[in-house]
Amino acid sequence: MRRPLTPFAPTRPLLAGSAALAVLLTAACGSSTTGSADAEPAATPSASPVPRAEEVSTAVGTPSGETTEEGRRASRIAVTHDGGVVVLDATDLTLLGEFPVEGYARLNPAGDERHLFVTEGDGFRLLDLGGYSLPHGDHDHHHATTPTLTDLRYPAKHPGHVVVHDGRTVLYGDGDGRVRSIDPEDLRDGPTALPKGRTWTERSPHHGVAVEREDGSVITTVGDEESRSGVRIRDAKGRTVASSDECPGVHGEAVAQDGVVVLGCEDGLLVVDGDEITKVDSPDDYGRIGNQAGHDESPFVLGDYKSDPDAELERPTKVSITDTRDASLRLVDLPASYSFRSLGRGPQGEALVLGTDGQLHVIDPESGEITRSTPVVDAWEEPTEWQQARPTLHVQDETAYVTDPSTKTLHMVDIASGEVIRSGVLPVVPDEVDGTRG
């Protein structure tokens, strides 16, 4: 019996120039190597505890919420842990906020570069990571706002995927089939009430996903509580214009260049270009692709790849790269396995994979060659339960953020150079990580 799919999970940040911050936070350097076969993982770089905002304010004499130059981003990183979520400055890893969350929390982008949605219980709760707001009577400066876990939430039975695409954010309730689509710009200024948006209910609730496009058409998965089989495209009036049932176990989505949408199957993928749906077959009878990473300016989509239908927990050593221009798929061999939280894309469309060898592997998606492998953390093994913390990759602008639960450490890696530019020890064991550019 086939196992259910695991839930899927351009400016370089400026380093803090203050000597006080340099004491509080240790910058770590990791050597980079070209190619991966002979690269040896390094020990976890040394790091100091991340400073708290009040400590930094005292150390450098800067009050909280200082006035800053207009246009400067308030880039932030959020990290979940058992019991809550912490928010950090994305450039110097200063701890800005700690918030309790009930149950197992997951993070989802809200689409406005200021907020995230936290799946908590039966709903999507709005987490404000803070940003810059224009004060009254002052058109020259912005003020930083403090991160806040708001009480604003959208109810959903078993909240699942959140997809941001074409200026719409779509939230999917797995347990009730309730789908909500909103304009993320309605969130940017910190709402006192959540926008109602557009809502509808899918006929058969399942672990699904929906993507709304600029013309109002919607791509939705098809399935029920027992199985999933394919996708359906509806126009802005709700009429079905195309569908496919050639995608057993359909899961996840990614968007490539020109708005092409890719969804994973247990035997390949579906490529949706306009109203045309193309099936891409895996080279194996069972070749499951359930987690994908796209890039808006790249025709290539990075995906995982599992080929053992009987494995209790398969630890794959191949990834898939799909060229959406001709619907072709190639497999790339890695020197180590990885998990569903290991995939990302660089600013130039590079395919990034965090391996269990502790290295961040950079793949040229066009050639399929590994161009660099950077040691970041010690070697690790994927845990048996998907909710258990493991090293996790998050990419924001030109920086890759890598967590190490074994040492409570968060590392910042410059993607262009492969250098580990900063590391900090968190007060919690990190699990999921996401962020906003501000």
Side-chain angles (χ1 to χ4, degrees), residues 205-340:
H206 61 282
H207 180 53
V209 65
V211 183
E212 182 170 354
R213 300 184 291 191
E214 188 176 21
D215 62 359
S217 63
V218 178
I219 304 168
T220 58
T221 54
V222 176
D224 54 34
E225 293 182 355
E226 300 299 324
S227 64
R228 302 183 297 275
S229 59
V231 300
R232 178 184 297 114
I233 303 175
R234 300 189 185 100
D235 64 18
K237 295 182 179 180
R239 298 172 297 198
T240 298
V241 295
S243 64
S244 171
D245 60 0
E246 295 185 283
C247 193
V250 59
H251 184 271
E253 56 72 40
V255 179
Q257 190 177 59
D258 298 326
V260 177
V261 178
V262 175
L263 303 100
C265 317
E266 291 182 350
D267 57 1
L269 305 115
L270 292 181
V271 175
V272 181
D273 187 355
D275 293 337
E276 183 178 347
I277 305 173
T278 302
K279 176 62 183 287
V280 182
D281 291 320
S282 293
D284 301 286
D285 290 339
Y286 178 84
R288 190 184 97 178
I289 302 172
N291 304 280
Q292 309 92 39
H295 189 285
D296 288 342
E297 297 179 5
S298 171
F300 301 99
V301 170
L302 171 67
D304 57 1
Y305 191 79
K306 295 185 176 182
S307 57
D308 184 355
D310 301 317
E312 184 71 18
L313 174 63
E314 183 177 355
R315 295 185 169 94
T317 58
K318 297 177 186 291
V319 291
S320 59
I321 295 180
T322 303
D323 188 340
T324 59
R325 295 170 298 187
D326 59 7
S328 61
L329 182 152
R330 68 145 49 101
L331 300 181
V332 177
D333 289 305
L334 297 174
S337 61
Y338 57 93
S339 86
F340 74 99

Side-chain angles (χ1 to χ4, degrees), residues 134-145:
L134 194 66
H136 293 295
D138 186 348
H139 296 283
D140 297 323
H141 297 88
H142 289 289
H143 286 271
T145 56

Side-chain angles (χ1 to χ4, degrees), residues 39-61:
E40 292 292 333
T44 303
S46 60
S48 300
V50 294
R52 296 177 182 271
E54 58 270 24
E55 296 171 341
V56 174
S57 296
T58 301
V60 301

Side-chain angles (χ1 to χ4, degrees), residues 355-436:
T356 55
D357 57 0
Q359 300 187 75
L360 181 61
H361 302 285
V362 181
I363 304 170
D364 179 345
E366 187 161 11
S367 67
E369 295 183 0
I370 298 175
T371 59
R372 178 189 291 118
S373 294
T374 299
V376 183
V377 300
D378 286 335
W380 53 283
E381 184 177 76
E382 182 181 6
T384 55
E385 298 295 330
W386 72 266
Q387 296 97 333
Q388 291 178 277
R390 80 287 307 280
T392 296
L393 170 68
H394 168 68
V395 179
Q396 196 159 303
D397 290 330
E398 297 182 353
T399 303
Y401 294 83
V402 177
T403 63
D404 186 351
S406 68
T407 60
K408 298 183 179 180
T409 307
L410 177 63
H411 303 284
M412 295 171 61
V413 183
D414 179 73
I415 296 171
S417 67
E419 178 187 5
V420 181
I421 54 177
R422 191 177 294 276
S423 298
V425 179
L426 302 170
V428 297
V429 177
D431 190 5
E432 284 204 342
V433 56
D434 209 323
T436 58

Side-chain angles (χ1 to χ4, degrees), residues 53-287:
E54 58 270 24
E55 296 171 341
V56 174
S57 296
T58 301
V60 301
T62 303
S64 177
E66 65 170 313
T67 301
T68 59
E69 292 184 7
E70 184 177 2
R72 178 185 168 189
R73 289 173 175 169
S75 299
R76 302 283 161 81
I77 291 292
V79 181
T80 64
H81 61 93
D82 185 7
V85 58
V86 297
V87 178
L88 304 99
D89 186 286
T91 62
D92 58 27
L93 301 187
T94 301
L95 183 62
L96 303 175
E98 301 174 81
F99 309 100
V101 174
E102 294 184 7
Y104 187 74
R106 306 202 69 186
L107 300 173
N108 309 274
D112 66 337
E113 294 298 351
R114 172 171 170 173
H115 296 85
L116 298 176
F117 280 110
V118 180
T119 55
E120 180 191 36
D122 283 345
F124 298 95
R125 188 175 180 183
L126 191 66
L127 172 62
D128 185 350
L129 297 191
Y132 287 100
S133 58
L134 194 66
H136 293 295
D138 186 348
H139 296 283
D140 297 323
H141 297 88
H142 289 289
H143 286 271
T145 56
T146 305
T148 305
L149 181 58
T150 75
D151 291 327
L152 304 176
R153 72 168 67 226
Y154 287 119
K157 186 176 181 181
H158 305 313
H161 288 272
V162 178
V163 176
V164 177
H165 179 57
D166 272 357
R168 302 296 294 181
T169 300
V170 182
L171 306 91
Y172 198 103
D174 292 346
D176 53 14
R178 187 174 178 82
V179 186
R180 186 184 301 268
S181 173
I182 64 171
D183 182 348
E185 288 299 313
D186 292 337
L187 303 173
R188 184 177 291 276
D189 292 331
T192 56
L194 289 174
K196 182 178 179 181
R198 170 189 175 196
T199 62
W200 69 91
T201 301
E202 291 296 311
R203 288 176 294 182
S204 299
H206 61 282
H207 180 53
V209 65
V211 183
E212 182 170 354
R213 300 184 291 191
E214 188 176 21
D215 62 359
S217 63
V218 178
I219 304 168
T220 58
T221 54
V222 176
D224 54 34
E225 293 182 355
E226 300 299 324
S227 64
R228 302 183 297 275
S229 59
V231 300
R232 178 184 297 114
I233 303 175
R234 300 189 185 100
D235 64 18
K237 295 182 179 180
R239 298 172 297 198
T240 298
V241 295
S243 64
S244 171
D245 60 0
E246 295 185 283
C247 193
V250 59
H251 184 271
E253 56 72 40
V255 179
Q257 190 177 59
D258 298 326
V260 177
V261 178
V262 175
L263 303 100
C265 317
E266 291 182 350
D267 57 1
L269 305 115
L270 292 181
V271 175
V272 181
D273 187 355
D275 293 337
E276 183 178 347
I277 305 173
T278 302
K279 176 62 183 287
V280 182
D281 291 320
S282 293
D284 301 286
D285 290 339
Y286 178 84

